[in-house]
């Protein structure tokens, strides 16, 4: 039996760092890229599992294996059930 069942998308939030915001039509160099959990469902399930709750996430989207597997692995390492 689960303590918490979370329904939502699995996705990353991608943050790009740059020296300044470019003007319309102008290019710029991106100095770094950071991937973070990108939605409430993944964040809530991760934090609930870290608090010791038995947590399951029901994904409402299909995520590409090449991009999504690291996210799925991270959630599973923390104890989130992604079996559905």
């Amino acid at each position: 039996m689960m303590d918490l069942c979370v329904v939502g998308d699995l996705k990353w939030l991608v943050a790009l760092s740059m020296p300044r915001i470019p003007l319309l039509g102008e290019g710029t160099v991106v100095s770094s890229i950071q991937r973070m959990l990108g939605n409430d469902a993944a964040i809530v399930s991760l934090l609930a599992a870290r608090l010791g709750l038995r947590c399951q996430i029901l994904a409402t989207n299909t995520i590409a294996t090449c991009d999504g597997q690291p996210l799925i692995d991270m959630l599973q390492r923390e104890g989130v059930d992604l079996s559905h």
Side-chain angles (χ1 to χ4, degrees):
M1 174 140 200
M2 292 291 153
D3 295 315
L4 178 65
C5 183
V6 181
V7 178
D9 288 349
L10 290 177
K11 59 185 169 188
W12 292 108
L13 171 66
V14 178
L16 305 175
S17 297
M18 57 191 80
R20 64 181 183 79
I21 297 175
L23 299 173
L24 183 62
E26 187 179 45
T28 189
V29 175
V30 173
S31 56
S32 70
I33 299 172
Q34 183 180 11
R35 292 191 315 173
M36 300 169 280
L37 286 177
N39 70 338
D40 294 340
I43 293 167
V44 167
S45 62
L46 176 70
L47 294 177
R50 285 182 177 174
L51 288 172
L53 297 174
R54 291 176 310 241
C55 185
Q56 180 177 53
I57 186 167
L58 301 176
T60 57
N61 68 322
T62 302
I63 189 164
T65 303
C66 61
D67 190 48
Q69 198 59 52
L71 174 58
I72 291 166
D73 292 344
M74 180 184 65
L75 290 168
Q76 287 178 330
R77 271 193 310 274
E78 294 290 337
V80 176
D81 179 359
L82 287 121
S83 61
H84 287 59

